[in-house]
């Protein structure tokens, strides 16, 4: 079994592939910044799936959950709605191509699980 972790947005999709024991296999990112059409962004992601993931057995997929709440000086409703939309499109495509459901994980939980600690008031990107 392999584990695929995804941090997906409209501009970039970060990905990491680990063995079932958590050992590093590969990682990278898909730059979507130059493409403005949301459906062409999906085509780019599909090409990545076809080239890198099709054929992997027993793949477990986790993706950073999209923004779920408002906070002072945080993302606007329009941004949150767009992230929800693309996140659902990416997950549907993963299911269609790989037959694997995607587990959503809270970013704070994900960072804690891998031992990543970002000091307060520092850029989390």
């Amino acid at each position: 079994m392999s584990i695929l972790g995804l941090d997906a947005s409209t501009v970039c999709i970060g990905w990491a592939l680990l063995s079932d024991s958590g050992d590093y296999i590969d990682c990278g990112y898909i730059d979507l910044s130059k493409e403005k059409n949301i459906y062409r962004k999906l085509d780019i992601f599909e090409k990545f799936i076809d080239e890198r993931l099709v054929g992997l057995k027993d793949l477990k997929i986790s993706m950073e959950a999209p923004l779920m709440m408002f906070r002072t000086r945080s993302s606007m409703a329009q941004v949150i709605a767009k992230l929800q939309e693309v996140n659902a499109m990416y997950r549907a495509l993963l299911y269609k191509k790989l037959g694997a459901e995607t587990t959503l994980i809270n970013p704070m939980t994900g960072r804690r699980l891998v031992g990543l600690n970002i000091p307060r008031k520092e850029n989390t990107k």
Side-chain angles (χ1 to χ4, degrees), residues 54-70:
V54 168
L56 292 178
K57 301 293 183 205
D58 300 320
L59 186 63
K60 180 180 178 184
I61 306 169
S62 291
M63 181 181 288
E64 180 180 337
L67 292 171
M68 300 295 284
M69 69 177 125
F70 291 104

Side-chain angles (χ1 to χ4, degrees), residues 34-57:
K34 292 182 176 95
E35 183 54 64
K36 301 304 177 206
N37 182 293
I38 193 170
Y39 301 105
R40 288 194 195 110
K41 290 176 189 272
L42 195 61
D43 289 341
I44 294 167
F45 185 50
E46 183 174 19
K47 182 178 178 188
F48 164 79
I49 292 170
D50 289 341
E51 291 176 353
R52 297 277 188 133
L53 304 177
V54 168
L56 292 178
K57 301 293 183 205

Side-chain angles (χ1 to χ4, degrees), residues 10-25:
T10 60
V11 177
C12 182
I13 301 173
W15 60 273
L17 191 60
L18 306 173
S19 70
D20 60 347
S21 62
D23 294 327
Y24 169 83
I25 296 174

